[in-house]
Amino acid sequence: MGEARTPGQRAGLTRESVLQAAHKLLIERGLDGLSMRGLATRLGVAPNAIYSHVANKTALVDELLDEVLAAVVVPDPDTTEANAGLVRIMTSSYTVLLDHPDLVPLYLARQGARGPHAQRLGDVMFALLAQAGVTGPAAHEARRVLIVYTIGFAALSTSAGPEPSEDRPLGSAELSGNFASGLQWLLTGILGA
């Protein structure tokens, strides 16, 4: 006798379909408009089918944030020089965040993401920092500073238009340039290079 199928499986839902529908709902209605009941209605299923894939709204948002991080390009810390590897991972993170401006405020509010993709990125960052001799509490602080810098710059950049205006003195191209040069300054301080 096989395993009993969950209500979500019986409804034909997958984790990916739930996250995709949740992201669309979030874009349309914002965080306050994202509810488990609203998501179930969007998917044409009973709410208990959603709970087969995610525990609650907080877990749903955490999974959405973490899923986006799967697109971050991760260098191999065994074959990549620390500075170049950290530039690559943080620049890729910044680009991924810019591709999802609707989620950037949630990354700010939650101070990042916590799922398996975030963990993988953190592990690679720790390996690159260790390669440069930055370990222990200093590595944790360095990782936090790099993450906060990247999310903060993404928040600033997603609120900017392509060109400077009276309301926004910096355009997105200038902010991207500022991100790159500031990242190098941070890494020079962190790595002592």
Side-chain angles (χ1 to χ4, degrees):
M1 187 167 187
E3 284 186 39
R5 291 176 19 161
T6 66
Q9 291 168 326
R10 286 193 301 272
L13 293 180
T14 63
R15 179 181 173 278
E16 293 74 27
S17 65
V18 170
L19 291 178
Q20 188 175 56
H23 194 180
K24 288 178 183 175
L25 195 59
L26 180 68
I27 291 169
E28 292 169 12
R29 299 184 186 169
L31 185 59
D32 291 338
L34 175 62
S35 69
M36 300 301 274
R37 185 170 301 284
L39 181 57
T41 300
R42 167 71 55 103
L43 290 166
V45 298
N48 68 332
I50 303 296
Y51 291 107
S52 298
H53 293 283
V54 64
N56 54 40
K57 180 179 174 178
T58 299
L60 176 64
V61 172
D62 285 341
E63 285 198 39
L64 274 172
L65 295 178
D66 191 60
E67 190 65 25
V68 166
L69 297 179
V72 174
V73 176
V74 181
D76 180 353
D78 294 331
T79 61
T80 306
E81 185 269 329
N83 186 71
L86 288 165
V87 165
R88 185 167 184 195
I89 198 170
M90 301 320 297
T91 301
S92 181
S93 297
Y94 176 70
T95 301
V96 166
L97 291 173
L98 293 183
D99 288 343
H100 299 278
D102 51 300
L103 297 180
V104 171
L106 297 176
Y107 283 103
L108 281 171
R110 285 179 158 61
Q111 298 178 350
R114 290 161 189 77
H117 296 297
Q119 182 64 46
R120 173 183 59 103
L121 296 173
D123 290 346
V124 170
M125 290 176 72
F126 281 139
L128 290 164
L129 288 164
Q131 184 186 113
V134 181
T135 60
H140 286 273
E141 187 174 358
R143 184 183 71 160
R144 186 177 314 112
V145 165
L146 290 167
I147 291 169
V148 169
Y149 174 79
T150 302
I151 295 172
F153 239 99
L156 184 63
S157 297
T158 56
S159 68
E163 298 295 325
S165 69
E166 197 170 298
D167 295 350
R168 296 178 303 246
L170 300 173
S172 57
E174 186 173 0
L175 286 168
S176 290
N178 291 162
F179 171 79
S181 57
L183 177 60
Q184 199 54 65
W185 294 336
L186 273 177
L187 288 172
T188 297
I190 291 169
L191 303 177

